[in-house]
PDB file of all heavy atoms in Angstrom:
ATOM      1  N   LEU B  43       0.942   6.120   0.254  1.00 93.00           N
ATOM      2  CA  LEU B  43       0.062   5.553  -0.766  1.00 93.00           C
ATOM      3  C   LEU B  43      -1.267   6.299  -0.759  1.00 93.00           C
ATOM      4  O   LEU B  43      -1.903   6.428   0.280  1.00 93.00           O
ATOM      5  CB  LEU B  43      -0.197   4.067  -0.491  1.00 93.00           C
ATOM      6  CG  LEU B  43       0.823   3.070  -1.005  1.00 93.00           C
ATOM      7  CD1 LEU B  43       2.106   3.144  -0.214  1.00 93.00           C
ATOM      8  CD2 LEU B  43       0.254   1.662  -0.958  1.00 93.00           C
ATOM      9  N   ARG B  44      -1.677   6.734  -1.924  1.00 94.00           N
ATOM     10  CA  ARG B  44      -2.963   7.422  -2.035  1.00 94.00           C
ATOM     11  C   ARG B  44      -3.838   6.649  -2.995  1.00 94.00           C
ATOM     12  O   ARG B  44      -3.417   6.324  -4.104  1.00 94.00           O
ATOM     13  CB  ARG B  44      -2.759   8.868  -2.494  1.00 94.00           C
ATOM     14  CG  ARG B  44      -2.055   9.726  -1.451  1.00 94.00           C
ATOM     15  CD  ARG B  44      -1.926  11.161  -1.899  1.00 94.00           C
ATOM     16  NE  ARG B  44      -1.003  11.322  -3.002  1.00 94.00           N
ATOM     17  CZ  ARG B  44      -0.888  12.428  -3.742  1.00 94.00           C
ATOM     18  NH1 ARG B  44      -1.688  13.471  -3.484  1.00 94.00           N
ATOM     19  NH2 ARG B  44      -0.005  12.495  -4.710  1.00 94.00           N
ATOM     20  N   LEU B  45      -5.078   6.389  -2.565  1.00 95.00           N
ATOM     21  CA  LEU B  45      -5.995   5.548  -3.325  1.00 95.00           C
ATOM     22  C   LEU B  45      -6.633   6.338  -4.460  1.00 95.00           C
ATOM     23  O   LEU B  45      -7.218   7.400  -4.243  1.00 95.00           O
ATOM     24  CB  LEU B  45      -7.078   5.005  -2.380  1.00 95.00           C
ATOM     25  CG  LEU B  45      -8.097   4.058  -2.982  1.00 95.00           C
ATOM     26  CD1 LEU B  45      -7.420   2.769  -3.456  1.00 95.00           C
ATOM     27  CD2 LEU B  45      -9.182   3.736  -1.964  1.00 95.00           C
ATOM     28  N   ILE B  46      -6.542   5.776  -5.657  1.00 97.00           N
ATOM     29  CA  ILE B  46      -7.111   6.435  -6.833  1.00 97.00           C
ATOM     30  C   ILE B  46      -8.516   5.906  -7.106  1.00 97.00           C
ATOM     31  O   ILE B  46      -9.482   6.662  -7.146  1.00 97.00           O
ATOM     32  CB  ILE B  46      -6.219   6.209  -8.069  1.00 97.00           C
ATOM     33  CG1 ILE B  46      -4.784   6.670  -7.799  1.00 97.00           C
ATOM     34  CG2 ILE B  46      -6.796   6.933  -9.282  1.00 97.00           C
ATOM     35  CD1 ILE B  46      -3.810   6.311  -8.912  1.00 97.00           C
ATOM     36  N   TYR B  47      -8.626   4.615  -7.316  1.00 97.00           N
ATOM     37  CA  TYR B  47      -9.890   3.948  -7.565  1.00 97.00           C
ATOM     38  C   TYR B  47      -9.823   2.555  -6.944  1.00 97.00           C
ATOM     39  O   TYR B  47      -8.741   1.985  -6.778  1.00 97.00           O
ATOM     40  CB  TYR B  47     -10.151   3.776  -9.069  1.00 97.00           C
ATOM     41  CG  TYR B  47     -10.944   4.875  -9.723  1.00 97.00           C
ATOM     42  CD1 TYR B  47     -10.286   5.910 -10.398  1.00 97.00           C
ATOM     43  CD2 TYR B  47     -12.329   4.869  -9.699  1.00 97.00           C
ATOM     44  CE1 TYR B  47     -11.010   6.915 -11.018  1.00 97.00           C
ATOM     45  CE2 TYR B  47     -13.069   5.878 -10.322  1.00 97.00           C
ATOM     46  CZ  TYR B  47     -12.401   6.900 -10.977  1.00 97.00           C
ATOM     47  OH  TYR B  47     -13.110   7.896 -11.595  1.00 97.00           O
ATOM     48  N   TYR B  48     -10.990   2.007  -6.636  1.00 95.00           N
ATOM     49  CA  TYR B  48     -11.055   0.627  -6.215  1.00 95.00           C
ATOM     50  C   TYR B  48     -12.315  -0.019  -6.762  1.00 95.00           C
ATOM     51  O   TYR B  48     -13.281   0.661  -7.096  1.00 95.00           O
ATOM     52  CB  TYR B  48     -10.948   0.480  -4.692  1.00 95.00           C
ATOM     53  CG  TYR B  48     -12.115   1.039  -3.916  1.00 95.00           C
ATOM     54  CD1 TYR B  48     -13.111   0.208  -3.418  1.00 95.00           C
ATOM     55  CD2 TYR B  48     -12.190   2.401  -3.637  1.00 95.00           C
ATOM     56  CE1 TYR B  48     -14.162   0.718  -2.671  1.00 95.00           C
ATOM     57  CE2 TYR B  48     -13.239   2.920  -2.909  1.00 95.00           C
ATOM     58  CZ  TYR B  48     -14.216   2.079  -2.418  1.00 95.00           C
ATOM     59  OH  TYR B  48     -15.261   2.597  -1.685  1.00 95.00           O
ATOM     60  N   SER B  49     -12.248  -1.336  -6.826  1.00 95.00           N
ATOM     61  CA  SER B  49     -13.371  -2.105  -7.345  1.00 95.00           C
ATOM     62  C   SER B  49     -13.612  -3.283  -6.413  1.00 95.00           C
ATOM     63  O   SER B  49     -12.708  -4.058  -6.136  1.00 95.00           O
ATOM     64  CB  SER B  49     -13.050  -2.610  -8.755  1.00 95.00           C
ATOM     65  OG  SER B  49     -13.992  -3.571  -9.171  1.00 95.00           O
ATOM     66  N   GLN B  50     -14.836  -3.378  -5.945  1.00 92.00           N
ATOM     67  CA  GLN B  50     -15.161  -4.469  -5.013  1.00 92.00           C
ATOM     68  C   GLN B  50     -15.594  -5.732  -5.747  1.00 92.00           C
ATOM     69  O   GLN B  50     -15.530  -6.829  -5.197  1.00 92.00           O
ATOM     70  CB  GLN B  50     -16.270  -4.022  -4.058  1.00 92.00           C
ATOM     71  CG  GLN B  50     -15.846  -2.888  -3.145  1.00 92.00           C
ATOM     72  CD  GLN B  50     -16.980  -2.384  -2.274  1.00 92.00           C
ATOM     73  OE1 GLN B  50     -18.006  -1.927  -2.782  1.00 92.00           O
ATOM     74  NE2 GLN B  50     -16.816  -2.470  -0.974  1.00 92.00           N
TER      75      GLN B  50
END
Side-chain angles (χ1 to χ4, degrees):
Chain B
L43 275 71
R44 292 183 291 167
L45 182 64
I46 305 173
Y47 267 97
Y48 67 101
S49 168
Q50 295 176 300

